[in-house]
Amino acid sequence: MITSCIASNDQTPKPYIVYMGSPLNNNGDSAEISELTHLQMLSSIIPSEESERISVKHSFHHAYRGFCALLTKQEATLLSGYEEVVSVFPDPILELHTTRSWDFLGSYYSTNYNYHASSNYDVIIGVIDTGIWPESPSFDDQHIGEVPSRWKGVCMEGFDFHKSNCNRKLIGARFYDIEDQDSNITKLPKNTTKPNGTPRDRVGHGTNTASIAAGAFVPNATYYGLASGIARGGSPSSRIATYKACSEGYCQGSAILKAIDDAIKDGVDIISISIGRSFVFQTDFKDDPIAIGAFHVAERGIGVVCSGGNEGPDPYTVTNSAPWIFTVAASTIDRKFQSIVALGNNVTLKGTGISFYTSGHAKTYPLAFGENVHFHPSLTSQARYCMPGSLDAKKVAGKIIVCMNDGWSVSRLIKKLVVQDANAKGLILIDEQEKSSPFDSGSFPFAEFGKIAGAKILQYINSSQNPHATIFPANEIRRFKPAPVVADFSSRGPATLTENILKPDITAPGVGILSAMIPNTEKGSSLFGITSGTSMACPHVSGAMAFIKSIHPTWTFSMIKSAIMTTATISNNLRKPLTNTSNLDASPHEIGAGELNPIKALNPALIFETTMIDYYNFLCYYGYKEKELRLIVSKKNNFYCPRNSTSTTKKELISHMNYPSISIKKLDQGVSKVKRVAMNVGSPNATYTSSIIGPPGLIVRVLPRKIEFVKEIKKVSFEISFDGKKASKGYNFGFIIWSDGFHKVKMVFAVNVE
């Protein structure tokens, strides 16, 4: 069972992760020898009278070395001083960053792209999440070939999961030392006993993300009549391997590290992780389980795609920001779920939200504002927001209740449960600004409005002796404009740890996404749900990468990442710049390079490949010591830090990495220069000319202005200089565009002028 151990004093043992860097053997260390070594280390610091603690919860030995064990703070400090140890840190609790979207992206399936004729590589996506519901039609293996012979994974059995639950689509399933809490939303197979562990999803999140990344074609998919159509993942012919490292919305860092290590050993090509920690608790990369695992994954040429977090719209909130991670922001698609409310004064208002009636029709009920049905006068302000314990159930019963939703102290779900528990007949929320993500209220009538419509509702309540209203079931509006729009919840850059690397990298659909879900106990339960979050955006990118990998099997993860970033869309369906929910132009700190465009990414013309040497140099520039680097870097690479990495301004050198975007944290009165190397993957004989789209005052020069490729020359370097003497203070954004007359290769930049 996942636990968060809070020590009463420093001598109370709690789970710690001991990270020891890359394996001594390039093919991974022996499991038995590794565990014996770990036990010997524990024996050297744990008192003999507490010998029962000399045990390892998780041991990592394939892609990286380390283990998880119960330690006191003093013991952890002692271990951190061992020469073979990079870092020791408390085992963190991470959180989940929780159809039509592929049509909107201009997917290959909606543009008649001959996928099966062109595909020549079997891609395996590893999904680290809450497990999977294998009976979902999204994981049907019809029309898919035999399991690739290179696959070395397993299908672990649990109390409610058998080897027969795996197939040619779901080729692997593992679970770790976690235990689901009892859940009344999960309909488990009959005749099951108390769980001891299972790959089966009892939360729904893992089933959602796996189906978005690689779900099979499912015709007539719908969520109680909404979002009807063909459900499919980004790469329907790709295989799925699930690694259950989370339970009931929480994920333990050591389980994620073990899952990543297993995924590498099993033979996955891409790892999709819709998990992270709050930006408030971000730590150094060597104390971050996802950053550690993803680094060693990159050393083996495997891609890691992560959600950027749901703590927007404030800046400096993006997480999973290491440069070797593909960090994804969330946006809307051209579909809106509309809820209509008819007031008793014949005024009809159009809001947002998802609710449906399983029987009967919409009815009219008395309408009341929360602060007018308070439990006690002292609770008036709390009742305004429908906070728990603030409402009088007798006054609420039989009415539609209106609540304010300005802050995030109480979630929309909690407000719904508060009024529902008091026998209300519906809920109307009023926001300062309209939320981009529709709240799913199920069969409980619901609608949400911005402040303008909300003022009309409150005015009606205050001016009527007998206010009443009707909430109608949600309806779906397709081809909604503008779209995409950056989701209000999507975490923003700059990245606090890596401001010289632009984060997030890319934006993808993450609002109102139809995906597979676990069935609940109700009769006629839907097999699909509508969900929002960067959790949903992340597998869109994972699926797109799998699709591109299947067409270009020799391309590295970094090459595919570059192709996606330099071909990203920067305009909406009104042919205007992408915007946020405040109707302002979205900046690269909100959208990265732009919106995912899988088709264009197939033919990017130029690639900016970030190599492991770039990542090693990053560690040098970031400030890691030579001793730490000797442990972290793969033993097969005889790497030494560049001489200039010891300078006092070495973090500025991070901007020189061959990354597909440019970020400069601090541009003083002088001129800053960075270098990039372009690789030609288009026509062998081509000339590209550069142009600049940038803000007034910032002088951007590219030398040489033209770059030429011939058959023998595949790579060409160039230099970009930024002069901010006349530029506005703060971040300046723009694009460097290379064109041969047919292609436009866009490199976004963010330069902070001080």
Side-chain angles (χ1 to χ4, degrees):
M1 182 172 67
I2 290 181
T3 57
S4 180
C5 301
I6 300 175
S8 58
N9 57 65
D10 290 347
Q11 299 310 308
T12 301
K14 63 180 181 179
Y16 277 84
I17 292 175
V18 181
Y19 170 48
M20 302 169 64
S22 60
L24 300 175
N25 187 321
N26 289 328
N27 295 320
D29 299 335
S30 162
E32 294 78 12
I33 294 176
S34 293
E35 188 160 350
L36 179 60
T37 301
H38 301 158
L39 292 173
Q40 289 173 341
M41 292 175 68
L42 291 175
S43 298
S44 69
I45 60 166
I46 294 177
S48 57
E49 61 269 21
E50 298 181 46
S51 58
E52 70 277 0
R53 285 200 292 115
I54 303 177
S55 64
V56 173
K57 182 177 181 181
H58 294 296
S59 181
F60 323 121
H61 55 85
H62 184 72
Y64 36 84
R65 291 183 298 145
F67 59 93
C68 177
L70 285 174
L71 302 170
T72 65
K73 186 175 181 179
Q74 182 180 9
E75 292 163 352
T77 302
L78 287 172
L79 268 183
S80 65
Y82 281 35
E83 286 191 2
E84 62 267 44
V85 173
V86 177
S87 59
V88 181
F89 53 95
D91 189 2
I93 298 296
L94 287 78
E95 59 190 21
L96 303 169
H97 285 159
T98 192
T99 195
R100 178 69 181 159
S101 57
W102 288 108
D103 292 335
F104 178 61
L105 288 175
S107 168
Y108 30 95
Y109 302 109
S110 59
T111 55
N112 297 318
Y113 189 86
N114 193 349
Y115 173 84
H116 292 288
S118 303
S119 177
N120 51 15
Y121 185 76
D122 228 331
V123 181
I124 304 169
I125 302 176
V127 180
I128 299 177
D129 215 294
T130 61
I132 202 162
W133 192 268
E135 291 83 6
S136 169
S138 291
F139 310 124
D140 186 273
D141 66 351
Q142 291 186 42
H143 314 299
I144 192 168
E146 294 301 316
V147 176
S149 59
R150 61 189 172 88
W151 175 246
K152 299 180 177 63
V154 299
C155 187
M156 292 176 66
E157 292 194 316
F159 73 99
D160 59 354
F161 197 99
H162 308 287
K163 290 189 186 300
S164 59
N165 287 124
C166 290
N167 55 25
R168 297 189 302 273
K169 162 62 76 172
L170 176 60
I171 64 174
R174 291 182 184 266
F175 64 91
Y176 300 92
D177 187 16
I178 56 178
E179 181 179 316
D180 288 308
Q181 304 299 314
D182 290 336
S183 171
N184 60 7
I185 66 168
T186 307
K187 185 178 180 181
L188 295 171
K190 295 180 180 179
N191 301 321
T192 59
T193 57
K194 186 69 178 176
N196 292 314
T198 172
R200 185 174 292 277
D201 186 3
R202 299 187 67 193
V203 178
H205 194 269
T207 301
N208 296 154
T209 56
S211 68
I212 293 170
F217 287 92
V218 182
N220 303 315
T222 182
Y223 179 60
Y224 296 102
L226 294 171
S228 58
I230 298 175
R232 59 174 177 265
S235 184
S237 66
S238 289
R239 319 303 178 120
I240 296 170
T242 182
Y243 299 83
K244 184 178 179 180
C246 306
S247 174
E248 295 297 326
Y250 295 96
C251 317
Q252 201 152 14
S254 57
I256 293 172
L257 263 178
K258 182 62 176 173
I260 294 174
D261 199 35
D262 285 340
I264 297 171
K265 181 175 62 176
D266 291 345
V268 305
D269 299 293
I270 295 165
I271 298 177
S272 188
I273 306 178
S274 292
I275 300 164
R277 65 201 315 170
S278 169
F279 76 95
V280 176
F281 304 111
Q282 281 193 91
T283 60
D284 191 273
F285 297 117
K286 67 178 186 295
D287 299 331
D288 180 343
I290 294 178
I292 290 170
F295 178 84
H296 293 286
V297 164
E299 284 191 310
R300 284 157 175 76
I302 300 169
V304 175
V305 185
C306 290
S307 48
N310 299 336
E311 297 179 278
D314 292 335
Y316 294 99
T317 52
V318 67
T319 59
N320 291 325
S321 59
W324 47 84
I325 291 174
F326 205 173
T327 312
V328 187
S331 60
T332 65
I333 61 174
D334 63 341
R335 175 173 62 200
K336 182 176 182 179
F337 296 103
Q338 186 180 79
S339 289
I340 295 176
V341 171
L343 302 178
N345 58 359
N346 296 321
V347 172
T348 299
L349 300 172
K350 296 177 180 179
T352 61
I354 299 172
S355 63
F356 50 84
Y357 293 152
T358 54
S359 62
H361 302 283
K363 295 181 180 180
T364 301
Y365 294 102
L367 185 66
F369 187 27
E371 70 177 20
N372 296 332
V373 289
H374 53 71
F375 183 74
H376 188 273
S378 64
L379 298 173
T380 300
S381 60
Q382 291 93 327
R384 177 183 180 87
Y385 296 95
C386 295
M387 298 178 71
S390 66
L391 301 179
D392 187 331
K394 294 180 181 179
K395 298 177 183 177
V396 169
K399 296 182 177 70
I400 294 173
I401 304 301
V402 179
C403 309
M404 302 303 293
N405 194 44
D406 296 343
W408 288 96
S409 58
V410 179
S411 69
R412 292 181 289 186
L413 175 60
I414 295 299
K415 293 177 193 289
K416 173 208 166 183
L417 294 176
V418 166
V419 299
Q420 193 174 23
D421 187 56
N423 295 314
K425 293 298 183 179
L427 172 64
I428 295 174
L429 291 182
I430 300 174
D431 290 285
E432 183 67 23
Q433 291 184 333
E434 282 193 43
K435 297 289 185 286
S436 59
S437 56
F439 175 68
D440 181 4
S441 185
S443 59
F444 188 72
F446 172 83
E448 190 166 11
F449 297 93
K451 61 181 179 181
I452 296 176
K456 294 180 180 179
I457 296 172
L458 295 179
Q459 184 181 26
Y460 167 62
I461 292 175
N462 293 330
S463 62
S464 174
Q465 292 184 348
N466 183 30
H468 53 276
T470 307
I471 301 177
F472 292 92
N475 61 82
E476 177 187 356
I477 300 175
R478 298 197 178 196
R479 298 181 179 85
F480 183 80
K481 296 179 181 181
V485 173
V486 183
D488 57 300
F489 60 76
S490 185
S491 292
R492 268 66 164 174
T496 54
L497 300 180
T498 57
E499 204 162 335
N500 284 310
I501 295 290
L502 181 61
K503 291 288 179 172
D505 291 304
I506 197 73
T507 304
V511 176
I513 305 302
L514 183 73
S515 60
M517 67 180 295
I518 58 177
N520 60 32
T521 55
E522 296 177 3
K523 186 178 180 180
S525 171
S526 176
L527 297 176
F528 292 87
I530 297 172
T531 50
S532 299
T534 54
S535 279
M536 281 62 250
C538 169
H540 274 90
V541 176
S542 304
M545 291 194 76
F547 164 60
I548 297 167
K549 181 73 173 178
S550 71
I551 305 300
H552 297 292
T554 61
W555 283 12
T556 64
F557 163 64
S558 177
M559 292 173 70
I560 297 173
K561 179 178 179 179
S562 173
I564 289 175
M565 290 176 65
T566 60
T567 60
T569 300
I570 56 174
S571 58
N572 59 28
N573 54 7
L574 293 174
R575 298 186 178 181
K576 294 181 179 180
L578 297 178
T579 59
N580 54 33
T581 50
S582 298
N583 293 320
L584 300 174
D585 287 356
S587 80
H589 285 151
E590 296 173 295
I591 61 173
E595 180 85 359
L596 171 69
N597 189 325
I599 287 296
K600 282 191 175 181
L602 286 174
N603 186 17
L606 300 180
I607 290 287
F608 302 95
E609 184 176 18
T610 314
T611 66
M612 285 310 303
I613 297 300
D614 285 308
Y615 297 142
Y616 295 159
N617 285 337
F618 170 85
L619 297 178
C620 299
Y621 302 149
Y622 192 77
Y624 288 121
K625 300 175 183 177
E626 289 281 353
K627 173 210 166 188
E628 294 172 320
L629 291 173
R630 297 277 74 77
L631 293 171
I632 294 171
V633 172
S634 173
K635 302 301 181 284
K636 66 181 179 181
N637 294 318
N638 190 22
F639 173 78
Y640 293 92
C641 284
R643 292 181 181 179
N644 59 358
S645 67
T646 58
S647 68
T648 56
T649 58
K650 58 187 177 181
K651 282 197 175 183
E652 296 178 7
L653 298 174
I654 292 173
S655 300
H656 292 258
M657 288 176 58
N658 201 45
Y659 210 73
S661 61
I662 299 171
S663 183
I664 297 176
K665 178 181 179 180
K666 183 179 179 181
L667 180 63
D668 291 324
Q669 293 301 312
V671 176
S672 181
K673 297 179 179 180
V674 298
K675 179 184 175 182
R676 290 294 186 269
V677 177
M679 177 194 300
N680 183 23
V681 294
S683 174
N685 298 297
T687 300
Y688 291 84
T689 303
S690 65
S691 60
I692 309 296
I693 299 177
L698 182 67
I699 300 173
V700 184
R701 293 187 176 94
V702 180
L703 292 174
R705 187 168 172 269
K706 289 185 178 182
I707 54 177
E708 296 183 5
F709 297 92
V710 294
K711 192 173 183 179
E712 295 79 16
I713 300 176
K714 297 282 188 183
K715 296 182 179 180
V716 174
S717 64
F718 58 92
E719 186 179 76
I720 311 106
S721 65
F722 298 94
D723 184 343
K725 294 186 185 70
K726 298 180 181 179
S728 300
K729 301 299 182 184
Y731 267 100
N732 287 248
F733 306 105
F735 291 91
I736 299 161
I737 299 176
W738 290 99
S739 177
D740 63 350
F742 302 98
H743 306 90
K744 286 188 176 181
V745 184
K746 300 184 298 294
M747 176 175 279
V748 63
F749 62 78
V751 179
N752 188 21
V753 178
E754 294 190 348

